[in-house]
Amino acid sequence: MMASLTSGNAAAAVEARGQFNVALAALPAAPGGLAQHRLEKQFSGDLAGTSTGVMMSAGDPAKGIAGYVAMEMVEATLAGRSGGFVLQHNGTMDAGGQQLNVVIVPGSGTGALAGITGSMAIRIENRQHYYTLTYDLPAAP
């Protein structure tokens, strides 16, 4: 699992792959009774580090109908560079399947990951979480 740096060209985006573990802790309900959770993740693979964030959800996940939004701050090493960035999530699930959108918030990169852009695909198999981070990272200064 090796990810390479890119030169800041969107056409040159590369992929980082690996797994993550996630832990959720209930927080007091948000206005309107929306469920709210603190999330903590541990990433391994090409993206190695941790994240913390907050997720809000509604619906009935037990019946397969729900929606959520989340923001999480990732602090990690990617392609040999350490820093952070924020992931923004929004997703729904219903009889038609699951729709999930996870993007790196523009301008949120810090440290050696300043200027990072991209998106993340998440796959869950047998209760294990896998990610593919497609990103563009400016050349190191």
Side-chain angles (χ1 to χ4, degrees):
M1 288 189 202
M2 284 302 291
S4 61
L5 297 179
T6 65
S7 63
N9 177 351
V14 294
E15 291 185 346
R17 297 175 184 270
Q19 298 179 314
F20 66 91
N21 296 317
V22 61
L24 295 175
L27 295 171
L34 296 172
Q36 191 169 235
H37 293 86
R38 175 178 170 79
L39 60 92
E40 295 183 1
K41 293 181 182 174
Q42 180 73 44
F43 292 91
S44 61
D46 295 329
L47 177 69
T50 61
S51 73
T52 57
V54 175
M55 176 179 80
M56 295 175 66
S57 63
D60 191 345
K63 291 182 180 176
I65 51 175
Y68 87 101
V69 296
M71 298 285 277
E72 66 180 295
M73 180 65 204
V74 176
E75 295 288 341
T77 300
L78 176 65
R81 294 166 64 170
S82 296
F85 55 88
V86 174
L87 290 174
Q88 177 180 315
H89 301 240
N90 67 67
T92 58
M93 65 176 154
D94 59 22
Q98 187 173 17
Q99 301 293 320
L100 179 63
N101 184 42
V102 182
V103 297
I104 297 173
V105 174
S108 68
T110 63
L113 298 179
I116 190 170
T117 59
S119 62
M120 179 179 279
I122 297 173
R123 186 177 93 252
I124 304 171
E125 290 181 10
N126 299 321
R127 302 178 71 115
Q128 177 59 55
H129 293 75
Y130 299 89
Y131 69 84
T132 301
L133 179 67
T134 303
Y135 68 97
D136 185 42
L137 190 57

